[in-house]
Amino acid sequence: MDTQVDELKLLVVKAVRMLERIELLDNNGHVSVRIPGTDRFLINSRKASRASLSVRDIVLCDMDGKLLEGDSEPPSEFHIHTEIYKRRDDVGSVVHNHPHYQTVLGIADVPLKPVFGVGAFVQDVPMFEDSSLINTRELGIQLAGKLGEKSSVLLRHHGTVVAAEDIKSAFTISVFLEENAKKQYDASLLAPSIKVLEGENLERTRTSNWQPSIIQKLWTYHQEKAEKQGALSGITE
């Protein structure tokens, strides 16, 4: 159990550091992972810097957000994570990002469309209209309901939430969503009407671009790049 928890803590730290490095997280935002077979989850603490996060900044909570282990409280928006976990047995990791392009498209009331190969899974992304902090159970329940069985929901004027089976998948979806949104935004500057992936081409592209090998490849790429730049130094201290 302890070895498993230690490994999951390290994954959370790496995910937060890498998401911050590519500006999907800023001084806020959080990544959680459910401990398999339990009603507990790990998450970066509220006060810890996302840029210098280490394993000592990861806290253990129950599904009511009660702190079980750690030196600091969880983020005030822990309800995002707890209410999704309570509703979805298939979700093992939740990420709350503050991405630029997805948020801009949401502010402009432009639906996210599948326009780029790795973003082919983007389709009918639900919109959550309450732009405040999701810092109550009621708001967490509403957000989880809006997410439904999908992998992401856009919080207008605020950011995004991603839910996936594991932390590497949640990281990959987060990256692919923003890459797709950037392509959609840039293309819309060139033409009033843009071409989107659809029909058999969409289905084929979606299938070919979402494979375990691609998830691992993206994770390895960002991890090695972050290591080379020193962005993962001190994570075990």
Side-chain angles (χ1 to χ4, degrees):
M1 177 69 170
D2 290 341
T3 299
Q4 181 187 46
V5 170
D6 289 344
E7 291 175 351
L8 291 174
K9 284 183 178 180
L10 196 57
L11 285 175
V12 172
V13 173
K14 288 181 178 180
V16 169
R17 288 264 203 123
M18 292 190 295
L19 288 168
E20 189 278 334
R21 189 186 68 81
I22 58 177
E23 299 184 342
L24 292 184
L25 291 184
D26 42 33
N27 60 305
N28 292 306
H30 18 90
V31 175
S32 73
V33 62
R34 192 203 307 251
I35 298 176
T38 75
D39 57 356
R40 301 177 176 188
F41 68 97
L42 298 164
I43 191 169
N44 54 294
S45 69
R46 182 177 186 177
K47 69 177 183 180
S49 168
R50 278 58 172 169
S52 60
L53 194 74
S54 74
V55 292
R56 69 175 180 274
D57 300 311
I58 306 303
V59 298
L60 176 68
C61 300
D62 65 15
M63 287 302 164
D64 292 318
K66 179 182 178 181
L67 181 66
L68 300 177
E69 292 180 13
D71 298 329
S72 181
E73 62 185 347
S76 63
E77 294 184 299
F78 69 81
H79 300 280
I80 293 174
H81 305 260
T82 56
E83 297 309 321
I84 292 174
Y85 287 138
K86 290 175 186 177
R87 183 187 182 101
R88 299 270 301 273
D89 290 337
D90 63 317
V91 171
S93 181
V94 175
V95 177
H96 175 38
N97 291 308
H98 296 138
H100 176 78
Y101 287 95
Q102 292 168 76
T103 306
V104 166
L105 291 175
I107 293 169
D109 201 24
V110 176
L112 296 174
K113 298 292 184 181
V115 299
F116 187 48
V118 298
F121 61 88
V122 174
Q123 192 172 30
D124 301 323
V125 176
M127 178 71 72
F128 188 70
E129 294 292 349
D130 197 321
S131 60
S132 66
L133 291 174
I134 312 302
N135 57 5
T136 68
R137 186 185 179 199
E138 180 182 8
L139 285 171
I141 291 172
Q142 292 174 14
L143 177 61
K146 180 62 71 172
L147 172 68
E149 299 303 312
K150 294 185 178 296
S151 61
S152 65
V153 58
L154 185 59
L155 286 60
R156 203 188 302 276
H157 311 288
H158 184 162
T160 63
V161 171
V162 169
E165 60 183 320
D166 56 52
I167 199 164
K168 292 183 181 180
S169 296
F171 176 85
T172 300
I173 292 171
S174 297
V175 173
F176 284 178
L177 278 169
E178 187 68 352
E179 288 186 6
N180 186 87
K182 186 178 188 303
K183 297 291 191 298
Q184 182 179 344
Y185 175 86
D186 288 347
S188 69
L189 299 179
L190 299 175
S193 179
I194 63 175
K195 298 289 187 180
V196 302
L197 289 160
E198 55 188 358
E200 292 184 7
N201 186 32
L202 171 61
E203 295 304 322
R204 185 171 57 254
T205 304
R206 178 180 291 145
T207 300
S208 64
N209 279 285
W210 188 254
Q211 302 288 339
S213 59
I214 292 177
I215 295 170
Q216 183 59 51
K217 183 178 182 180
L218 183 83
W219 177 272
T220 300
Y221 168 77
H222 282 282
Q223 177 176 285
E224 291 181 350
K225 190 171 183 179
E227 288 172 344
K228 185 176 180 180
Q229 296 174 346
L232 294 182
S233 60
I235 60 176
T236 58
E237 298 175 1

